[in-house]
Amino acid sequence: MEKYFALCLLLYAVAGCFANDLTYLNGFYSKTPQRLSKYSWFGNVRLHHFRVPEDAVLVRWLLTVSRGSGLNCGNQNITVHFRAGAPPVINPIETAFPNSTSVSLAHNLTLIIPSGQSGNVTLFNVTHPKPGDWFLAAHLPKDEGKIEQQGLPSCSYLFQAQMFLRRAADLPILQHNIPLYQTLTTTTALFKVFVPEFSSRLDVFILNCSVKLGNDCGLSITVGSSTLSQSSELKQNCSGLESCSASVLIPPWNSWLLVTVETSHPNTTIPFSISANVTVGCKPLSVSSDFNTSAFIRTIIAPQSNTSGGLTNTYVSMRDQPGLRANSSEPMCMRSPSVFRDEQDVLSLRFIVSSSNLTVTSDLPTVLTLEHSPGDSGGTFVVQLHLNTSSPVGGFARVKACLTPSAPVLHLNRSQTCASGLTQGYSLSVSSSESQALLRIPFPDEGVWYLSLQTVCNDSVDCRNASAIVGVSVSVSACIDDCGPYGECRLLRTHSYLYGACVCKAGWQGWGCTDATTAQSYSRQMAAALLLTFSNFFFIPPIVVALYRGYHVEAAIYFFTMFFSTFYHACDQPGVTVMCIMDYDALQFCDFLGSVVSVWVTIVCMARLQDPVKYLLFMVGTLIISMAMQLDRRGLWNLLGPVLFALVIMVTSWVYRGVKRHQCYPPLWRRWVLFLLPGIVSALIGVCVYVFAQTDSNYYYTHSIWHVMVATSVVFLLPPREKHIPPWGWTNKICSYRRCKNEKVELYTVT
């Protein structure tokens, strides 16, 4: 009921947010509720992907968290992260990021479900949101490592995100250097302006502002849209000024920018005029209409085929680059080599520069254009620079590089920071003392990125002819360094969007499994591997006892369980002490199947049924257990179902024998005290340890206890040998002649 009340209130609020002459349209988008998990790696988050259209002026997210009925779970915190352009980079357990990795943590919000309440409904507003992809990631607090058995009661939480948006259908457009006369009757007026490519400056002017009650219009200008980061908008306060302007240096290219004019005087009519001026600065040289195929093969394909992924030593000058006009009359203000996008696999691509070794000079910047498709934001952006230490000429000090989205920085040899007008960039440099530089950006923003390089000189020397040769390698991969030796890179999906994340092992943590704070030592890994594998040798006594008492089929099943459990745990180790004799999935299936079937045949054997019935139950039970294991190997009923059904068969058989013999079955008290009770106690101890005591940290010895207890219980619970079965159950033959058995044989005489 609370959810529907909040929905109605939200629709009413969205409809009344803006009341000027613009035409506004509403939109509603909803995602399917998902069950939340405790956080240990990025795969535990529930990622929701939304698309905000152009001209959106308001977005409101309705965040609904509901608690499952059942246990008294107490207070619970749910964290929701927001980011525009790419999935949010988060670090809720405060692990260390890999070296040379630049991150900016996403904005987050904490939702609280108090004890005794079934849910939480929260509204989160973003005014003037940036158009494009928006991502929400939700998760529970840190996973403490408790291994929960599926099927047992537990606290569960469902998270659902719904987006309501309001967009302007006829937003006024600011033409370049053409004043637009407006009258502000509400607190806010909205406009948009297009920034073409190669723009170096955007100026928005407010002129002829006047009010009836004084000279202060109380206006302010905001350029840009909100991304929940500090640098995504530029604000200029015009209070006390009749005319003012807001200037954005290096605005984002090929994009529409939102311009917001606000007043601090509500319910006042304020006439004013507004205009925009875009300054188009440096442009690269034009290219010819004919594509030089031979030059492309000579400079791109041939060097790549002759190297194994490293940097080539071949340098191609500007006049040798394919497609450039050497006789262009346009002034040369920057070098822009051709960049080829080579898609190799899902979230795996590289950018091939027409000359992988670039001559970077001090007079002109070298700019590489790196086009990112929306699907590339789910990977890791990797930039590597390598300076040829024998190549610097002139007063060389270092080569400075700046990686920025939307627009490049063109004056790196000055004190200008590595940032464009509305976005923060990433800087790196190489010098004679540090000839290599590496930069990794997890989940980069979608759109076009620019890598600018320029030689920077010492202050005391002439810098007109300084240059150096730099090798450049740019790529996108699913994970950082493929998660290293202690991690596994996994591709995750939310609807049609793919992204990569590292799942770490052996106690390693972090975005690239490089944080060794809780890492397991080699001796700890070896001890875990030996305990989990050698504890299966406790099945040797049950195998010997079964063979001695003539239970050959049961002994074969116990051997099957011991063999595959040993090698499954040898393959399932989280660190470097791993040995797999076959596919991991096949080993896991055989281990789980053997464990349950061993319990099944042991209890059915205790029922002391006739051999045809017993073996029929063995076969039917094994087939049904195999089917259940294929459907869900970790389900509670995969073990509980066969155990309960086998116990029903055993109890029925024992009651039938007791009624028929008019005495308790088994009849001997020594059988109960010395065998059945110890076997039942061992089995109960093993089950309790398996279900309630296992955690990630103690798994190697608690699960080993489970192996020992189950094997011990089988030794005690196996029924004694049948009287007519000899020890070991061998066939009684001497020299190919069968000896008489101690059985009744009726002889019939024909007369």
Side-chain angles (χ1 to χ4, degrees):
M1 190 67 184
E2 295 177 355
K3 179 179 177 181
Y4 293 108
F5 175 75
L7 180 60
C8 297
L9 180 63
L10 176 64
L11 291 174
Y12 175 77
V14 169
C17 283
F18 300 89
N20 53 17
D21 297 334
L22 296 178
T23 301
Y24 292 100
L25 302 176
N26 291 335
F28 170 71
Y29 305 88
S30 180
K31 298 296 182 181
T32 305
Q34 298 185 39
R35 182 171 179 174
L36 296 177
S37 300
K38 293 184 178 180
Y39 186 88
S40 61
W41 67 294
F42 196 80
N44 298 130
V45 306
R46 298 297 173 260
L47 190 66
H48 294 269
H49 179 202
F50 292 93
R51 184 76 181 177
V52 175
E54 293 280 351
D55 301 337
V57 295
L58 176 67
V59 164
R60 285 186 173 175
W61 276 286
L62 177 65
L63 310 176
T64 305
V65 181
S66 57
R67 194 200 320 255
S69 60
L71 300 178
N72 183 14
C73 300
N75 296 338
Q76 183 63 63
N77 295 339
I78 295 94
T79 305
V80 184
H81 305 264
F82 299 82
R83 188 185 175 192
V89 178
I90 64 177
N91 190 19
I93 55 179
E94 299 181 352
T95 57
F97 284 90
N99 295 331
S100 304
T101 302
S102 180
V103 297
S104 178
L105 298 182
H107 179 83
N108 64 78
L109 178 70
T110 300
L111 312 179
I112 301 176
I113 300 183
S115 177
Q117 293 189 10
S118 60
N120 179 296
V121 179
T122 302
L123 295 177
F124 183 76
N125 303 335
V126 178
T127 305
H128 307 148
K130 179 183 178 181
D133 293 330
W134 279 77
F135 294 86
L136 278 68
H139 61 85
L140 295 175
K142 178 182 177 181
D143 187 3
E144 300 298 336
K146 177 68 172 67
I147 300 177
E148 296 182 354
Q149 180 65 38
Q150 293 185 13
L152 293 178
S154 61
C155 297
S156 61
Y157 300 88
L158 290 178
F159 174 78
Q160 183 180 24
Q162 297 169 300
M163 184 181 73
F164 303 85
L165 65 88
R166 187 165 176 80
R167 66 181 182 90
D170 49 359
L171 208 60
I173 299 176
L174 297 180
Q175 303 290 340
H176 298 172
N177 295 323
I178 300 178
L180 181 65
Y181 296 94
Q182 292 286 308
T183 300
L184 186 61
T185 57
T186 61
T187 58
T188 304
L190 301 175
F191 310 89
K192 66 178 181 179
V193 59
F194 182 75
V195 179
E197 195 171 5
F198 311 119
S199 299
S200 60
R201 183 185 180 98
L202 169 66
D203 297 288
V204 178
F205 302 95
I206 289 183
L207 304 172
N208 303 324
C209 168
S210 64
V211 292
K212 296 181 180 180
L213 301 179
N215 295 326
D216 187 6
C217 298
L219 297 181
S220 64
I221 307 174
T222 302
V223 181
S225 302
S226 175
T227 61
L228 301 179
S229 63
Q230 297 180 354
S231 61
S232 62
E233 296 176 300
L234 185 142
K235 295 185 178 181
Q236 178 65 44
N237 188 2
C238 300
S239 297
L241 301 175
E242 182 180 353
S243 302
C244 75
S245 64
S247 300
V248 180
L249 297 177
I250 318 178
W253 292 355
N254 286 329
S255 62
W256 289 93
L257 287 184
L258 185 68
V259 178
T260 307
V261 178
E262 298 175 293
T263 180
S264 58
H265 302 314
N267 302 322
T268 303
T269 301
I270 304 175
F272 66 95
S273 65
I274 184 172
S275 64
N277 179 41
V278 177
T279 303
V280 177
C282 180
K283 290 185 178 181
L285 294 179
S286 299
V287 297
S288 62
S289 58
D290 297 330
F291 184 76
N292 194 335
T293 307
S294 60
F296 171 76
I297 296 175
R298 183 176 67 255
T299 60
I300 302 299
I301 298 180
Q304 293 297 326
S305 61
N306 293 332
T307 61
S308 58
L311 297 174
T312 174
N313 294 323
T314 304
Y315 169 70
V316 181
S317 64
M318 285 299 300
R319 63 177 180 270
D320 293 331
Q321 292 186 26
L324 288 179
R325 282 194 333 210
N327 58 351
S328 174
S329 61
E330 300 174 3
M332 187 174 180
C333 58
M334 69 174 177
R335 296 180 175 87
S336 183
S338 300
V339 179
F340 302 90
R341 176 186 168 97
D342 181 19
E343 298 187 11
Q344 299 175 325
D345 204 341
V346 178
L347 289 180
S348 178
L349 63 97
R350 60 177 179 171
F351 295 94
I352 304 174
V353 188
S354 57
S355 175
S356 57
N357 282 350
L358 302 174
T359 297
V360 181
T361 63
S362 58
D363 56 341
L364 297 176
T366 301
V367 179
L368 305 181
T369 303
L370 312 170
E371 296 185 4
H372 272 210
S373 64
D376 300 337
S377 60
T380 300
F381 199 14
V382 182
V383 178
Q384 300 180 66
L385 303 180
H386 176 72
L387 173 67
N388 187 340
T389 54
S390 61
S391 65
V393 176
F396 170 83
R398 61 193 173 102
V399 172
K400 185 177 179 181
C402 180
L403 180 68
T404 53
S406 305
V409 176
L410 299 179
H411 301 287
L412 298 174
N413 56 350
R414 302 176 185 175
S415 59
Q416 181 179 352
T417 60
C418 181
S420 59
L422 301 177
T423 56
Q424 180 62 44
Y426 305 88
S427 62
L428 61 164
S429 63
V430 289
S431 61
S432 300
S433 58
E434 296 183 5
S435 60
Q436 296 186 5
L438 173 64
L439 173 65
R440 291 180 285 214
I441 305 174
F443 296 158
D445 290 336
E446 63 177 347
V448 181
W449 287 71
Y450 298 89
L451 178 62
S452 305
L453 302 99
Q454 194 166 8
T455 295
V456 179
C457 300
N458 297 320
D459 296 334
S460 59
V461 298
D462 185 8
C463 199
R464 286 177 295 180
N465 297 319
S467 65
I469 296 178
V470 178
V472 180
S473 174
V474 184
S475 62
V476 173
S477 59
C479 300
I480 296 177
D481 287 341
D482 202 23
C483 302
Y486 292 100
E488 177 185 354
C489 183
R490 294 187 182 179
L491 283 179
L492 308 174
R493 182 178 65 87
T494 173
H495 297 284
S496 60
Y497 183 81
L498 291 174
Y499 56 101
C502 288
V503 53
C504 305
K505 52 189 179 180
W508 290 77
Q509 302 179 98
W511 205 264
C513 299
T514 56
D515 188 344
T517 305
T518 60
Q520 300 175 7
S521 63
Y522 180 79
S523 58
R524 163 71 166 74
Q525 297 177 40
M526 182 61 69
L530 294 178
L531 271 176
L532 288 170
T533 53
F534 287 173
S535 61
N536 287 284
F537 292 163
F538 276 82
F539 270 93
I540 294 178
I543 294 173
V544 174
V545 171
L547 289 175
Y548 178 79
R549 297 178 182 178
Y551 300 118
H552 297 158
V553 175
E554 291 84 342
I557 294 174
Y558 299 151
F559 178 80
F560 177 92
T561 302
M562 180 187 70
F563 179 84
F564 281 103
S565 180
T566 299
F567 286 102
Y568 164 68
H569 286 292
C571 184
D572 189 46
Q573 293 307 302
V576 295
T577 56
V578 180
M579 185 184 71
C580 299
I581 63 172
M582 62 177 65
D583 182 68
Y584 174 84
D585 188 71
L587 287 172
Q588 185 187 67
F589 176 81
C590 293
D591 173 56
F592 284 33
L593 176 65
S595 301
V596 180
V597 171
S598 295
V599 177
W600 165 257
V601 300
T602 300
I603 301 177
V604 171
C605 184
M606 293 171 62
R608 305 298 289 266
L609 303 173
Q610 294 183 359
D611 286 350
V613 178
K614 182 178 73 171
Y615 295 132
L616 176 63
L617 290 175
F618 281 3
M619 180 59 67
V620 173
T622 301
L623 293 176
I624 296 176
I625 293 170
S626 301
M627 178 192 67
M629 288 296 170
Q630 186 64 28
L631 295 176
D632 182 13
R633 294 178 190 175
R634 300 187 182 274
L636 177 63
W637 286 98
N638 287 346
L639 176 62
L640 192 59
V643 168
L644 293 178
F645 190 68
L647 287 175
V648 170
I649 295 175
M650 185 192 72
V651 171
T652 302
S653 175
W654 285 10
V655 170
Y656 173 77
R657 289 173 179 265
V659 171
K660 186 176 181 181
R661 299 181 181 183
H662 302 287
Q663 61 179 351
C664 181
Y665 186 86
L668 300 177
W669 65 269
R670 287 174 299 181
R671 179 66 185 168
W672 284 95
V673 174
L674 300 180
F675 293 94
L676 294 181
L677 290 180
I680 294 172
V681 170
S682 298
L684 290 178
I685 293 175
V687 170
C688 291
V689 170
Y690 181 82
V691 175
F692 302 109
Q694 286 190 145
T695 63
D696 291 336
S697 58
N698 66 14
Y699 175 80
Y700 70 101
Y701 63 83
T702 54
H703 198 76
S704 300
I705 293 174
W706 156 257
H707 291 164
V708 174
M709 291 295 101
V710 170
T712 303
S713 66
V714 172
V715 173
F716 287 106
L717 294 177
L718 270 179
R721 175 171 50 88
E722 296 284 354
K723 293 182 179 180
H724 64 276
I725 300 295
W728 307 105
W730 305 128
T731 303
N732 294 299
K733 289 185 178 181
I734 298 178
C735 299
S736 300
Y737 292 93
R738 183 181 298 273
R739 297 192 308 171
C740 295
K741 289 186 178 181
N742 187 18
E743 297 178 356
K744 288 185 178 180
V745 180
E746 295 187 7
L747 301 177
Y748 296 89
T749 304
V750 180
T751 58

